[in-house]
Amino acid sequence: EAAVRAQADTVRRLKQDKADPDEIAKEVAKLLEMKAQLGEDEGKHKFVLKTPKGTRDYGPKQMAIRERAFNAIISCFKRHGAEVIDTPVFELKETLTGKYGEDSKLIYDLKDQGGELLSLRYDLTVPFARYLAMNKITNIKRYHIAKVYRRDNPAMTRGRYREFYQCDFDIAGQFDPMIPDAECLKIVHEILSDLQLGDFVIKVNDRRILDGMFAVCGVPDSKFRTICSSVDKLDKVPWKEVRSEMVGEKGLSPEAADRIGEYVQLHGGLDLIERLLQDPKLSQNKLAKEGLGDMKLLFEYLTLFGITGKISFDLSLARGLDYYTGVIFEAVLLHQENEHVEEAVSVGSVAGGGRYDGLVGMFDPKGRKVPCVGVSIGIERIFSILEQRLEASEEKIRTTETQVLVASAQKKLLEERLKLISELWDAGIKAEMLYKKNPKLLNQLQYCEDTGIPLVAIVGEQELKDGVVKLRIVATREEVNVRRESLVEEIRIRTSQC
Amino acid sequence: EAAVRAQADTVRRLKQDKADPDEIAKEVAKLLEMKAQLGEDEGKHKFVLKTPKGTRDYGPKQMAIRERAFNAIISCFKRHGAEVIDTPVFELKETLTGKYGEDSKLIYDLKDQGGELLSLRYDLTVPFARYLAMNKITNIKRYHIAKVYRRDNPAMTRGRYREFYQCDFDIAGQFDPMIPDAECLKIVHEILSDLQLGDFVIKVNDRRILDGMFAVCGVPDSKFRTICSSVDKLDKVPWKEVRSEMVGEKGLSPEAADRIGEYVQLHGGLDLIERLLQDPKLSQNKLAKEGLGDMKLLFEYLTLFGITGKISFDLSLARGLDYYTGVIFEAVLLHQENEHVEEAVSVGSVAGGGRYDGLVGMFDPKGRKVPCVGVSIGIERIFSILEQRLEASEEKIRTTETQVLVASAQKKLLEERLKLISELWDAGIKAEMLYKKNPKLLNQLQYCEDTGIPLVAIVGEQELKDGVVKLRIVATREEVNVRRESLVEEIRIRTSQC
């Protein structure tokens, strides 16, 4: 028992010190085990009441906001003719192996309980490529909205979780250049406009332009990927630091770094593309030339879509993942001018994607390639913004769609309420009642105020005799007697905007 | 290399013998490793292209069926005023411990990668109880539709998977007896009627009646749970076998077993409840009396709902899970008369649930109870039936909602197609185009036939000059010229039933 008390003290101390929650959890578990052995809490274990690190519950209010965002995204995907698929939450471990480079360490593995070795999916792109190869599909436009899992350091207030949704739209198939790529950018533009998240910019680049640039700047082939990773940091870190990483840590020559430094400062539109196509060095590089040619075509299509105003061809955009082979892009929200500066924390990228023409081939036994391009919407960050905005506003969000509360003014009318609500349900009306035998009318009306139910159908002795129901409009307190056989129609009309 | 060849032979043999997939997977993994060490397939690993055991992908067609079923279920839950919540796919391991009895061995654990010990959720009920206790919620009506995980023996053709959806509706709170319980049964009745799955029956019983029955039959208290498990098998196994399990394996006296045998054959309605309330032994037992009294009340409410025709008070219904404390129920589809007997495989229970008044208290530090009653719809089995039915029927199911294909009759009109489709998207029209510079008109029309797109908007030189678009109705092959500024409205009208 002394040992138990000592352990309890340890836990208390850790909690006071605000220690790492994982550590606390471990010590608590130890404490519980000791207590259990003592038989002290027989059958009455004390639980650590929490969700796992980096995860959260969604209550009804959060769900209402989440569904709004999903609806905007799904309607857009459907507007563009996408089918929908779903895959299991876990994959064979080897399916994920060798796809994510350094980030592989963030993959959640399942315990070996006999049978196959499994891992939770890290994104939706690799399962999609596995699905295409497995079913020999060479042509599909699909969306997939599901949770993915990363053992990353969570930053929950900024919308960074270990369990989070991705909303992916991808076009797979051999098509004429840049038409599907342009559609992906149009989709990002539509969704971000639709969600009214404020001003944004979609940065675009091409892996071939980056690789060509590295080549003409004198980066050795073997250092392309690692220098690319350094460039990827430019959105968070100033060029000086990136340069010193390139030269110091990664052993690039200062001259090569300086040449890169000139390029990565460039961003613009068609004019910049034209200028680079004339660049004496870049224009000599086959990859860069291909990439720039396609970038020009892309901008022509984006002009036809009328969205170049929010697109920036940006040579500093690199993207983390290994599997991209062509166009890459990333959408960033810009600071709101009318917000307090101290609150305007950049949420960073809210959407990203690109072309990955080699990934499906990695799964095909004969290496047959299926070119793909796709976009992933980062719903958690968008959701954080919507949630903060709703909290700041006065808007009261409804979490149910109930049209009418079936109520009674007198006692002993439970049976009548049950009969009426059953009629309404069977007619497709969304109806609730209080689960009490004799609820007070005031409580029933209060329930409507609290939950936003617009109508109350009140049964009473007199109304029953007269074959009517008293319909009360909560907002105006107006009351009308409606013949029972017209009630369904009356409720429909009065809530038709719902 | 000889070892590699030997291993390859092993794999081949296992595949020929249709051995356990897990075993094959293991041997294949071994083979791949040996090959990799030989450097034979450097950078070109051969993958086992499959989803994990007991899981499946949902292609667009399956998703269309799945969404139909979900829509029926969600509209019903919303009709009854439920809010919606979501919880993480995994919980702290200790959250699940001690909730599922013997079935705990079926829980998927995550690998210990440092930090907390986690398990995939086994159902949605325990996470719901954890959510209530953690947020001190004493009153909520919510639904939750999400995947749960069980390392069970899959029987995929009968809709039994290791990853599967549950659609749960629960009412938590202290209310007058049997009102929420009756609503849960009404919900099952509405959903099964709505989905038109054929005739069904909802069996109802009460844990208190079972326990009272065990007591008056002379079952010792310590054997209540295990004898309850035996009773639970009566839907699959004849009484004789269940009896011999009780007497042989579980050491019950033959007399007690025979007394149970008389009770568990009983099923009926209000009449049976009345009879049992007069039963000289049962009526002496406090628990049984309580249970029967509430059962009578339940049947009165179900009569008001007009659904007693499909409800059977069945003393053989026991339900597996430990946490039930009152009413329990299970919906079973009945064999269709007009189906071939050999095909009419019973899919078993498609919905089940009951009252669990103690579960939330297990999570509350002070043991405060929140009474709950809920129902879980087994969507995978329902989905299997819908899928088989659709395959048997001639119905062609659409997997997109595209209203119009933007096409061209001549070459060099890609830009015009892009401009038009962009206008349509911005107006909220669901539109597609082929990703080719110069697609043949025939191919474009064929695409509409294949995917069910009802309209084609054809741009051509002449139409552009005239300021019109040719709108073709795919079903009738009729073609009309529509002024460009009226096109959106015309498409809306012609696809308004979509």
Side-chain angles (χ1 to χ4, degrees):
Chain A
E1 277 186 41
V4 172
R5 270 197 304 274
Q7 181 65 20
D9 284 339
T10 306
V11 170
R12 219 167 354 241
R13 209 173 334 108
L14 284 171
K15 282 184 180 170
Q16 274 170 359
D17 298 352
K18 299 213 163 66
D20 179 45
D22 285 350
E23 202 184 331
I24 298 181
K26 260 191 192 166
E27 296 301 329
V28 169
K30 216 184 282 174
L31 176 61
L32 287 173
E33 205 176 321
M34 290 164 87
K35 279 189 179 175
Q37 279 175 353
L38 262 179
E40 197 187 72
D41 286 67
E42 191 75 47
K44 217 186 165 193
H45 266 271
K46 293 233 167 56
F47 293 91
V48 186
L49 263 182
K50 68 185 284 297
T51 61
K53 183 176 176 186
T55 68
R56 59 177 291 187
D57 292 321
Y58 281 78
K61 239 177 219 151
Q62 283 108 34
M63 285 299 279
I65 303 171
R66 195 171 100 177
E67 306 235 306
R68 274 190 199 182
F70 277 157
N71 283 342
I73 291 167
I74 292 172
S75 349
C76 178
F77 291 165
K78 286 189 173 175
R79 195 156 59 233
H80 288 261
E83 304 182 280
V84 57
I85 71 159
D86 192 22
T87 64
V89 81
F90 41 59
E91 295 278 345
L92 297 186
K93 186 173 164 58
E94 58 171 352
T95 298
L96 306 189
T97 305
K99 308 297 186 304
Y100 302 107
E102 269 187 25
D103 287 349
S104 294
K105 64 179 186 299
L106 304 180
I107 294 175
Y108 277 98
D109 291 328
L110 269 77
K111 192 167 151 187
D112 182 2
Q113 293 170 292
E116 302 161 330
L117 291 181
L118 307 175
S119 301
L120 298 186
R121 61 181 162 213
Y122 182 83
D123 65 8
L124 302 178
T125 311
V126 168
F128 176 54
R130 192 266 307 145
Y131 171 79
L132 294 184
M134 189 172 134
N135 296 287
K136 301 196 171 48
I137 296 168
T138 55
N139 196 326
I140 191 174
K141 178 164 52 179
R142 79 89 182 84
Y143 72 91
H144 188 187
I145 296 185
K147 288 174 175 173
V148 301
Y149 299 88
R150 300 185 184 178
R151 294 180 57 257
D152 214 338
N153 264 334
M156 323 241 286
T157 48
R158 282 164 53 211
R160 261 181 51 191
Y161 292 87
R162 290 181 155 198
E163 173 186 63
F164 59 98
Y165 267 98
Q166 286 198 330
C167 306
D168 279 25
F169 172 99
D170 293 80
I171 301 172
Q174 186 67 58
F175 300 116
D176 281 328
M178 307 319 275
I179 313 180
D181 313 61
E183 184 167 1
C184 287
L185 291 169
K186 177 82 170 88
I187 282 174
V188 175
H189 191 277
E190 284 179 25
I191 290 172
L192 295 184
S193 307
D194 205 17
L195 287 171
Q196 297 178 286
L197 299 171
D199 206 11
F200 61 88
V201 65
I202 309 174
K203 298 180 190 173
V204 185
N205 199 0
D206 192 300
R207 274 283 165 90
R208 292 167 297 174
I209 300 177
L210 277 170
D211 285 353
M213 178 181 93
F214 293 147
V216 306
C217 291
V219 178
D221 284 13
S222 62
K223 290 196 171 140
F224 274 18
R225 279 290 144 272
T226 183
I227 294 301
C228 192
S229 296
S230 300
V231 171
D232 192 38
K233 293 174 186 159
L234 275 173
D235 55 340
K236 287 164 205 132
V237 173
W239 165 247
K240 266 197 181 168
E241 279 179 46
V242 171
R243 184 187 183 279
S244 85
E245 181 183 295
M246 286 179 175
V247 177
E249 284 173 44
K250 300 191 171 172
L252 192 66
S253 73
E255 297 74 26
D258 289 336
R259 274 178 230 128
I260 294 175
E262 281 171 40
Y263 281 117
V264 295
Q265 286 172 37
L266 302 175
H267 53 93
L270 256 179
D271 50 334
L272 175 61
I273 300 169
E274 297 286 5
R275 219 171 77 213
L276 291 178
L277 274 169
Q278 306 304 323
D279 183 286
K281 281 176 291 171
L282 270 188
S283 60
Q284 295 309 306
N285 181 284
K286 195 173 158 286
L287 271 180
K289 226 174 126 188
E290 255 182 53
L292 284 166
D294 277 348
M295 189 59 72
K296 192 178 161 189
L297 196 57
L298 178 68
F299 265 77
E300 283 167 17
Y301 296 161
L302 299 178
T303 307
L304 292 165
F305 286 161
I307 60 171
T308 43
K310 303 246 187 251
I311 311 276
S312 169
F313 169 43
D314 189 324
L315 283 169
S316 73
L317 178 71
R319 300 279 296 159
L321 290 169
D322 268 4
Y323 48 61
Y324 292 117
T325 55
V327 166
I328 47 177
F329 53 87
E330 205 167 287
V332 189
L333 298 184
L334 301 174
H335 292 273
Q336 315 295 96
E337 280 173 38
N338 51 352
E339 268 184 41
H340 299 295
V341 180
E342 59 272 21
E343 282 197 30
V345 180
S346 166
V347 292
S349 130
V350 289
R355 180 162 281 284
Y356 50 102
D357 288 347
L359 191 57
V360 179
M362 288 177 76
F363 288 105
D364 189 276
K366 292 183 182 155
R368 278 167 298 209
K369 289 189 174 177
V370 177
C372 295
V373 63
V375 50
S376 185
I377 311 286
I379 185 73
E380 310 296 337
R381 290 174 179 190
I382 291 173
F383 173 76
S384 295
I385 298 168
L386 294 177
E387 199 179 16
Q388 281 169 26
R389 186 185 297 171
L390 198 85
E391 261 167 40
S393 84
E394 294 291 288
E395 191 195 347
K396 221 179 155 188
I397 195 164
R398 278 197 73 182
T399 54
T400 68
E401 298 175 11
T402 308
Q403 296 165 287
V404 61
L405 185 82
V406 174
S408 56
Q410 295 109 342
K411 289 193 173 185
K412 297 198 180 165
L413 287 169
L414 173 61
E415 283 76 10
E416 292 300 334
R417 281 191 291 139
L418 287 171
K419 251 163 79 177
L420 179 59
I421 200 168
S422 178
E423 283 173 33
L424 295 177
W425 285 332
D426 292 343
I429 298 290
K430 295 170 190 136
E432 286 185 70
M433 58 178 274
L434 297 198
Y435 302 122
K436 301 205 96 191
K437 269 167 108 163
N438 296 308
K440 291 190 180 123
L441 186 59
L442 208 68
N443 291 343
Q444 298 175 86
L445 297 179
Q446 188 59 47
Y447 183 77
C448 292
E449 299 278 359
D450 294 346
T451 60
I453 300 177
L455 300 172
V456 196
I458 305 169
V459 289
E461 300 288 359
Q462 191 57 46
E463 286 84 0
L464 284 169
K465 272 184 209 146
D466 299 344
V468 298
V469 173
K470 188 179 283 173
L471 195 63
R472 180 185 168 108
I473 293 88
V474 176
T476 62
R477 299 179 183 192
E478 179 195 352
E479 291 186 344
V480 285
N481 279 339
V482 179
R483 294 213 58 77
R484 183 120 175 183
E485 57 271 25
S486 319
L487 183 63
V488 167
E489 192 52 27
E490 187 71 26
I491 294 172
R492 270 203 201 117
I493 292 167
R494 288 188 181 266
T495 56
S496 59
Q497 77 288 2
C498 295
Chain B
E1 277 186 42
V4 172
R5 269 197 303 275
Q7 181 65 20
D9 284 339
T10 306
V11 168
R12 221 169 350 241
R13 211 175 328 110
L14 285 170
K15 283 185 180 170
Q16 273 170 2
D17 298 351
K18 297 214 164 66
D20 179 44
D22 284 352
E23 203 184 329
I24 297 181
K26 260 192 191 165
E27 296 300 329
V28 168
K30 216 184 283 174
L31 175 61
L32 287 174
E33 205 176 321
M34 291 165 85
K35 278 189 180 174
Q37 279 176 352
L38 263 179
E40 197 187 70
D41 286 64
E42 190 73 49
K44 218 185 164 193
H45 267 272
K46 292 233 166 54
F47 292 92
V48 186
L49 262 180
K50 67 186 284 293
T51 61
K53 184 177 176 183
T55 69
R56 59 176 292 188
D57 293 320
Y58 280 77
K61 239 178 218 149
Q62 283 106 36
M63 286 298 281
I65 303 170
R66 196 171 101 179
E67 306 236 305
R68 274 190 200 183
F70 277 156
N71 284 342
I73 293 166
I74 292 172
S75 357
C76 178
F77 291 164
K78 287 190 173 173
R79 193 157 59 235
H80 288 261
E83 306 183 279
V84 57
I85 71 158
D86 192 22
T87 64
V89 81
F90 40 59
E91 295 277 346
L92 298 187
K93 187 174 164 58
E94 57 172 356
T95 299
L96 306 190
T97 305
K99 307 299 184 305
Y100 302 106
E102 269 187 25
D103 287 349
S104 295
K105 65 178 185 297
L106 303 181
I107 294 174
Y108 278 97
D109 291 328
L110 269 74
K111 192 168 150 186
D112 183 0
Q113 293 169 290
E116 303 160 330
L117 290 181
L118 307 175
S119 302
L120 297 186
R121 62 183 160 211
Y122 182 83
D123 65 7
L124 302 178
T125 310
V126 169
F128 176 54
R130 191 265 307 146
Y131 170 80
L132 294 183
M134 190 173 133
N135 296 288
K136 301 192 170 52
I137 296 168
T138 56
N139 196 326
I140 191 174
K141 177 164 54 179
R142 79 90 182 83
Y143 71 91
H144 187 187
I145 296 184
K147 288 174 176 174
V148 301
Y149 298 87
R150 300 186 184 176
R151 295 180 56 257
D152 214 338
N153 264 334
M156 322 240 284
T157 48
R158 283 164 54 211
R160 261 181 53 194
Y161 292 87
R162 290 183 155 195
E163 172 186 62
F164 59 98
Y165 268 98
Q166 286 197 331
C167 306
D168 279 27
F169 172 99
D170 293 81
I171 301 171
Q174 186 69 56
F175 301 115
D176 280 328
M178 307 320 273
I179 313 179
D181 313 60
E183 183 167 1
C184 288
L185 291 169
K186 177 81 169 88
I187 281 175
V188 176
H189 192 277
E190 283 179 25
I191 289 173
L192 294 184
S193 307
D194 205 16
L195 287 171
Q196 297 180 287
L197 299 170
D199 206 10
F200 61 88
V201 66
I202 309 174
K203 299 179 188 172
V204 184
N205 199 1
D206 192 300
R207 274 282 164 91
R208 292 166 298 173
I209 300 178
L210 277 170
D211 285 352
M213 177 182 93
F214 293 146
V216 305
C217 291
V219 178
D221 284 14
S222 61
K223 290 194 171 144
F224 274 18
R225 278 288 146 273
T226 182
I227 294 300
C228 193
S229 295
S230 299
V231 171
D232 191 39
K233 292 174 187 161
L234 274 174
D235 54 341
K236 285 163 204 131
V237 174
W239 166 248
K240 265 195 181 170
E241 280 180 47
V242 170
R243 183 186 183 280
S244 84
E245 180 184 295
M246 287 179 174
V247 176
E249 285 174 42
K250 301 190 170 171
L252 192 66
S253 74
E255 297 73 28
D258 289 336
R259 274 179 231 128
I260 293 175
E262 279 171 42
Y263 282 117
V264 294
Q265 286 170 38
L266 303 174
H267 51 95
L270 256 179
D271 50 334
L272 176 61
I273 301 169
E274 298 285 5
R275 220 171 77 212
L276 291 178
L277 275 169
Q278 306 303 323
D279 183 283
K281 283 175 293 172
L282 269 187
S283 59
Q284 296 311 306
N285 180 283
K286 194 173 160 284
L287 271 180
K289 225 175 128 189
E290 253 182 55
L292 285 165
D294 276 348
M295 189 61 71
K296 191 177 161 189
L297 195 57
L298 178 67
F299 265 77
E300 284 167 17
Y301 296 160
L302 299 179
T303 307
L304 292 165
F305 287 162
I307 60 170
T308 43
K310 302 243 186 256
I311 310 274
S312 169
F313 170 42
D314 189 325
L315 283 169
S316 72
L317 178 71
R319 298 280 299 160
L321 290 169
D322 269 6
Y323 47 63
Y324 291 117
T325 55
V327 165
I328 47 177
F329 52 87
E330 204 166 286
V332 189
L333 298 185
L334 301 174
H335 293 274
Q336 314 296 95
E337 279 172 41
N338 51 353
E339 267 182 42
H340 299 294
V341 180
E342 59 272 23
E343 283 197 27
V345 181
S346 165
V347 293
S349 128
V350 290
R355 179 162 283 284
Y356 50 101
D357 288 348
L359 191 58
V360 179
M362 287 176 77
F363 288 105
D364 188 276
K366 291 182 184 154
R368 280 168 296 208
K369 287 189 177 180
V370 177
C372 296
V373 63
V375 51
S376 184
I377 311 285
I379 184 73
E380 310 296 336
R381 289 172 180 194
I382 291 173
F383 173 77
S384 294
I385 298 168
L386 295 178
E387 198 179 17
Q388 280 168 28
R389 186 186 296 171
L390 198 84
E391 261 167 40
S393 83
E394 294 291 286
E395 193 196 345
K396 223 180 152 187
I397 194 164
R398 278 198 74 182
T399 54
T400 68
E401 298 176 10
T402 309
Q403 296 166 287
V404 62
L405 184 82
V406 174
S408 56
Q410 295 109 341
K411 290 193 171 184
K412 296 197 179 165
L413 287 170
L414 174 60
E415 283 75 11
E416 292 301 332
R417 282 190 291 142
L418 288 170
K419 252 162 81 176
L420 180 58
I421 201 168
S422 179
E423 283 173 34
L424 294 177
W425 284 332
D426 292 343
I429 298 291
K430 296 172 190 135
E432 286 186 68
M433 58 178 274
L434 297 199
Y435 301 122
K436 300 205 95 190
K437 270 168 109 164
N438 296 308
K440 293 193 178 117
L441 185 58
L442 207 68
N443 291 344
Q444 298 176 83
L445 297 179
Q446 188 59 47
Y447 183 78
C448 293
E449 298 277 0
D450 294 345
T451 60
I453 301 176
L455 300 173
V456 195
I458 305 169
V459 288
E461 299 289 359
Q462 191 56 47
E463 286 84 359
L464 284 168
K465 272 183 210 146
D466 299 346
V468 297
V469 173
K470 188 178 282 172
L471 196 63
R472 181 184 167 108
I473 294 89
V474 176
T476 61
R477 300 183 182 186
E478 181 196 350
E479 291 185 345
V480 284
N481 279 339
V482 179
R483 294 215 57 78
R484 184 122 175 181
E485 56 271 26
S486 319
L487 183 63
V488 166
E489 192 52 27
E490 187 69 26
I491 293 171
R492 270 202 201 118
I493 293 168
R494 288 187 181 265
T495 55
S496 57
Q497 77 286 3
C498 295

